[in-house]
Amino acid sequence: MTVIENDLTILRGIVNDSNTGPAGLTFEVSGNVLINGGTWNMNFANSATTLGSLKVDGGSEYKASSGLTTVTGDGSPGWGYSFLIEGGGTFEHKD
């Protein structure tokens, strides 16, 4: 299990999760995830992902892993939402 015990902000560039290990591994961010001008690419991961909240700004991308992505709503209450894709932002899911 990989855990970030706070917020995660991606401002530019591409962050790749290349965990190609066995299914059943988990990745967790207990706080807010903000993608503002970059990409978080989980395409290569076999892991389940748990996020406190997720905001993908315009021109940014979240590419989900093949595992389950869960947004718990436990992120900062000051954000006013748990899951938000701004105009021009992309959330790429895996069926």
Side-chain angles (χ1 to χ4, degrees):
M1 173 186 278
T2 301
V3 178
I4 295 175
E5 289 285 343
N6 211 329
D7 298 337
L8 172 65
T9 301
I10 299 170
L11 297 176
R12 71 184 123 199
I14 299 172
V15 176
N16 287 308
D17 183 335
S18 59
N19 170 22
T20 56
L25 299 175
T26 59
F27 187 92
E28 179 179 337
V29 179
S30 65
N32 301 306
V33 175
L34 170 61
I35 306 173
N36 182 345
T39 298
W40 187 6
N41 183 7
M42 300 285 286
N43 277 342
F44 307 107
N46 294 325
S47 56
T49 306
T50 301
L51 312 172
S53 67
L54 175 63
K55 179 181 180 189
V56 181
D57 285 340
S60 305
E61 296 179 286
Y62 174 82
K63 297 181 178 183
S65 73
S66 60
L68 181 66
T69 298
T70 303
V71 179
T72 65
D74 293 336
S76 172
W79 277 29
Y81 55 82
S82 297
F83 180 80
L84 179 64
I85 307 299
E86 294 279 6
T90 302
F91 180 91
E92 182 181 300
H93 63 85
K94 302 294 184 261
D95 295 320

